[in-house]
């Protein structure tokens, strides 16, 4: 029986720093991820791909506002649905183009994710979306648009929106059925379209769910063996930026939590990924990986002859092979 890996790809990997976010730029970036997906399939994994949408949904919101004197402006949760279609198509086409051995069909599922209407996140927006601004530009947008803004990892200021925790994947059964058929599935794009249960009916609510958190929830709900959190570095670092900086190879979830409690994984950097990885393993997942696309296959198949070195692996205590870093 094939194993299943849920792979989470950031929206910043589709529109990279310094790029305008044109379609050709996004397509070329998607091809790099498609190569990793092909590698996972060829090494025997079923794949479910979850993508972020921070840059894209923020840019779409700007377009909506700019054109609102001609066409109605749509709410944020609708823009999330739009980016699910846009980026789902982009990634599906890139995976098909990558081809490879025994490439199955690729299906994109527009996915709704239930959140709680009383989640404290609605009163404390933390999710950055859209482009970066200078402090002067950010102050002007706060005054003119009523935005909440904040600094994003020292790279500038961005609009901040609510990011509630995912509770339930509405289309879970459909996604599972597609995976069981051996299809590559793109699901929960942008963290999924946030909805609340309003007495038996689902209603959209303005927010952007963190894609790593949504990928973890989907992976555990599917009973996936692996969660792969793709970033732009080969491995997670301890003591980042210090003389004692060193990469994490393999670590248990409990060891990772101790490092998190010591402040090793900042919120604007590895915090969300390591939190998702720890939660995945604690809820029964076998292996969580944090690495770049080039090392994804080697990280799920260590010692299997791949030329690439593994990235960071988070496992349960009874699977841990090495000593704590």
């Amino acid at each position: 029986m094939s194993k299943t890996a849920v792979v989470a790809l950031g929206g910043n990997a589709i529109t990279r720093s310094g790029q305008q976010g044109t379609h050709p730029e996004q397509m070329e970036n998607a091809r790099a991820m498609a190569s990793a997906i092909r590698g996972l399939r060829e090494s025997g994994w079923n794949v479910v791909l979850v993508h972020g949408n921070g840059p894209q949904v923020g840019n779409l919101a700007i377009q909506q506002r700019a054109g609102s004197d001609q066409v109605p402006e749509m709410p944020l949760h609708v823009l999330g649905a739009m980016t699910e279609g846009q980026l789902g198509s982009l990634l599906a086409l890139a995976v098909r183009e990558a081809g490879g051995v025994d490439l199955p069909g690729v299906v994109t599922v527009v996915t709704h994710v239930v959140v709680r209407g009383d989640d404290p996140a609605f009163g404390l927006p933390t999710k950055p979306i859209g482009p970066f601004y200078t402090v002067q530009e950010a102050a002007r947008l706060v005054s003119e648009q009523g935005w909440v803004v904040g600094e994003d990892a020292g790279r500038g200021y961005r609009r901040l929106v609510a990011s509630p925790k995912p509770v339930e994947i509405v289309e879970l059964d459909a996604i599972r059925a597609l995976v069981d058929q051996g299809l590559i599935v793109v699901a929960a794009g942008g963290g999924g379209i946030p909805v609340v249960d309003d007495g038996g009916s689902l209603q959209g609510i303005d927010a952007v769910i963190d894609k790593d958190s949504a990928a973890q929830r989907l992976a555990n709900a599917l009973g996936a063996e692996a969660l792969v959190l793709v970033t732009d570095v080969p491995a997670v670092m301890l003591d980042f930026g210090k003389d004692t900086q060193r990469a994490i190879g393999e670590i248990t979830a409990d060891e990772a939590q101790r490092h998190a409690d010591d402040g090793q994984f900042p919120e604007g950097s590895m915090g969300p990924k390591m939190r998702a990885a720890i939660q995945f393993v604690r809820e029964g997942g076998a292996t969580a990986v944090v690495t770049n696309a080039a090392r994804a296959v080697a990280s799920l198949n260590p010692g299997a002859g791949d030329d690439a070195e593994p990235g960071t692996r988070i496992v349960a205590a009874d699977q841990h092979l090495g000593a704590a870093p």
Side-chain angles (χ1 to χ4, degrees), residues 209-242:
I209 301 169
D210 177 71
K211 65 97 180 37
D212 293 324
S213 184
Q216 176 265 312
R217 175 57 47 218
L218 178 58
N220 284 119
L222 286 173
E225 287 79 8
L227 173 65
V228 182
L229 302 161
V230 178
T231 183
D232 56 358
V233 295
V236 180
M237 295 288 180
L238 293 177
D239 294 344
F240 180 74
K242 300 180 181 179

Side-chain angles (χ1 to χ4, degrees), residues 60 147 167 171 236 247 266 296 314-315:
L60 186 54
W147 287 0
V167 175
E171 287 80 11
V236 180
I314 299 91
V315 299

Side-chain angles (χ1 to χ4, degrees), residues 49-289:
L49 181 58
V50 176
H51 62 79
N53 70 345
Q56 296 81 18
V57 76
N59 291 350
L60 186 54
I62 292 170
Q63 291 179 329
Q64 290 277 315
R65 178 62 63 90
S68 61
D69 60 337
Q70 299 182 58
V71 295
E73 186 177 355
M74 295 291 108
L76 185 60
H77 63 87
V78 173
L79 305 189
M82 293 179 182
T83 60
E84 273 202 301
Q86 173 208 350
L87 299 178
S89 169
L90 187 85
L91 291 166
L93 291 175
V95 171
R96 287 182 181 277
E97 180 185 293
V101 176
D102 191 29
L103 178 72
V106 186
V107 179
T108 297
V109 179
V110 174
T111 312
H112 301 84
V113 175
V114 177
V115 301
R116 300 191 187 282
D118 60 355
D119 190 307
F122 287 106
L124 185 64
T126 59
K127 176 66 176 176
I129 64 172
F132 290 88
Y133 300 102
T134 65
V135 63
Q136 294 83 5
E137 290 171 331
R140 175 179 58 80
L141 290 167
V142 169
S143 175
E144 294 179 358
Q145 308 289 355
W147 287 0
V148 176
V149 302
E151 191 174 11
D152 183 3
R155 295 173 292 177
Y157 289 79
R158 297 174 77 186
R159 180 184 177 186
L160 301 180
V161 299
S163 184
K165 293 180 180 179
V167 175
E168 180 184 356
I169 310 296
V170 176
E171 287 80 11
L172 177 64
D173 288 344
I175 295 167
R176 180 182 288 113
L178 293 167
V179 173
D180 288 345
Q181 292 181 48
L183 299 172
I184 295 173
V185 183
V186 184
I193 304 162
V195 295
V196 293
D197 189 340
D198 185 18
S201 66
L202 298 177
Q203 303 294 328
I205 189 168
D206 282 350
V208 175
I209 301 169
D210 177 71
K211 65 97 180 37
D212 293 324
S213 184
Q216 176 265 312
R217 175 57 47 218
L218 178 58
N220 284 119
L222 286 173
E225 287 79 8
L227 173 65
V228 182
L229 302 161
V230 178
T231 183
D232 56 358
V233 295
V236 180
M237 295 288 180
L238 293 177
D239 294 344
F240 180 74
K242 300 180 181 179
D243 293 339
T244 53
Q245 174 178 302
R246 70 270 192 202
I248 300 175
E250 185 171 279
I251 190 173
T252 69
D254 288 344
E255 290 165 346
Q257 186 61 60
R258 287 197 292 272
H259 288 309
D261 293 342
D262 290 339
Q264 288 281 357
F265 312 128
E267 281 303 307
S269 179
M270 288 295 174
K273 289 178 173 55
M274 292 301 288
R275 185 163 52 249
I278 292 166
Q279 192 67 22
F280 173 71
V281 172
R282 286 182 168 175
E283 292 187 17
T287 306
V289 169

